[in-house]
Amino acid sequence: MEQETIVKVCLLAGKIMLQSGAETYRVEDTMVRIAQAFKMQNAQAYATPTAIMFAVDMTASSNFVRIDERATDLHKVAEVNSISRYISTGELSLIEARDQLLNIDQQQNSFSVWLQLLAAAFASGCFTIMFQGSWHDFIPAMIVGGSAFCLMIYFHKLLKIRFFAEFLAAVFLAFTAFLMVVINLGLDIDKIIIGSVMPLVPGLLITNAVRDLMAGHLVSGMTKGIEAILTAFAIGAGVAIVLLLVY
């Protein structure tokens, strides 16, 4: 029963981290460290962006967990890392670690949707200024960027396919930026679009892909890299279609 609990704790820690946007090599390292802290010295872990396999020994049966939903919640990743360190130093028992991981798994997003929308809107305005846009475009970029980010969240829940959600959000973004210029609320459509599109850019995916490749995890690195390329293509295609139609 203790070995089964150790396996469940390791898989739960890996699942939380992978669902929250952690790199696969970090997920594997954390699971192995937790197992070794509980005297499972030959533990084996293998993670991809969509699945985790774990065994307490090289010849033991493997345990499998599928990852269907992935998001960005680095607060959960940090919490699981902290629990892993406490386990390694002997400050947490197996049962205490399991209970804390279950609490983390049941937590909602660290930031509410409204706070995410406000952050996306403010970031859009700031990126517009950073890319040498005028202050006259700051407020239009905030409106366009916040609205597009909101629609991306809605479309993602509705369609369950991130590519189409980001494509439709980019279409709305470009068309709204065009309207802002037409009604003289904005001056430069290019700067508004560039600033507003930044919250949709898959920055974490690109970073994780590079880090996984550098760590030797070629399958995960290439998978995340292709996902980032598809996301960038969806955003670019959505903006390009609108600009081709209106100009």
Side-chain angles (χ1 to χ4, degrees):
M1 290 298 293
E2 183 180 1
Q3 179 175 307
E4 183 180 345
T5 305
I6 293 172
V7 171
K8 288 182 177 178
V9 166
C10 292
L11 287 173
L12 182 58
K15 180 174 79 79
I16 294 171
M17 294 182 73
L18 205 55
Q19 286 179 332
S20 302
E23 309 95 319
T24 53
Y25 79 88
R26 188 187 301 275
V27 172
E28 293 176 0
D29 182 67
T30 300
M31 294 172 68
V32 170
R33 286 177 182 273
I34 291 174
Q36 290 176 346
F38 293 119
K39 311 305 179 184
M40 300 293 179
Q41 297 300 327
N42 296 318
Q44 305 291 316
Y46 179 72
T48 69
T50 56
I52 299 173
M53 287 182 284
F54 179 78
V56 295
D57 203 340
M58 289 184 290
T59 58
S61 59
S62 297
N63 301 271
F64 178 85
V65 172
R66 180 169 179 80
I67 308 299
D68 295 319
E69 292 288 336
R70 298 190 303 277
T72 301
D73 194 338
L74 300 184
H75 177 67
K76 284 188 176 182
V77 176
E79 285 188 319
V80 175
N81 276 332
S82 296
I83 290 174
S84 174
R85 285 192 290 270
Y86 290 141
I87 292 172
S88 298
T89 56
E91 298 179 45
L92 275 181
S93 68
L94 181 61
I95 302 303
E96 290 172 338
R98 182 196 63 185
D99 293 340
Q100 290 192 23
L101 287 170
L102 287 172
N103 288 334
I104 294 172
D105 190 34
Q106 293 169 1
Q107 289 176 5
Q108 300 297 322
N109 290 331
S110 301
F111 304 102
S112 66
V113 175
W114 286 110
L115 188 57
Q116 294 179 48
L117 294 180
L118 287 174
F122 185 71
S124 298
C126 291
F127 276 117
T128 298
I129 301 301
M130 189 181 77
F131 289 117
Q132 299 181 353
S134 67
W135 283 101
H136 192 79
D137 292 327
F138 184 83
I139 298 299
M142 287 185 62
I143 296 172
V144 173
S147 302
F149 190 81
C150 178
L151 277 181
M152 187 192 71
I153 294 175
Y154 171 75
F155 286 138
H156 183 57
K157 291 181 179 179
L158 185 67
L159 300 174
K160 300 297 182 182
I161 301 176
R162 192 173 182 86
F163 177 88
F164 292 112
E166 287 160 345
F167 173 77
L168 293 174
V171 169
F172 172 83
L173 181 151
F175 184 71
T176 309
F178 172 73
L179 289 180
M180 289 290 178
V181 174
V182 169
I183 61 178
N184 292 324
L185 286 179
L187 295 178
D188 193 338
I189 186 173
D190 294 342
K191 298 299 188 294
I192 295 175
I193 289 177
I194 291 172
S196 301
V197 83
M198 292 305 293
L200 307 182
V201 171
L204 184 64
L205 272 177
I206 297 171
T207 303
N208 286 353
V210 173
R211 294 190 68 176
D212 279 338
L213 287 171
M214 293 177 66
H217 292 246
L218 302 181
V219 174
S220 299
M222 291 178 65
T223 301
K224 291 179 180 178
I226 292 172
E227 187 177 354
I229 290 171
L230 286 175
T231 300
F233 176 75
I235 296 171
V239 172
I241 286 174
V242 173
L243 293 181
L244 287 174
L245 291 176
V246 300
Y247 286 107

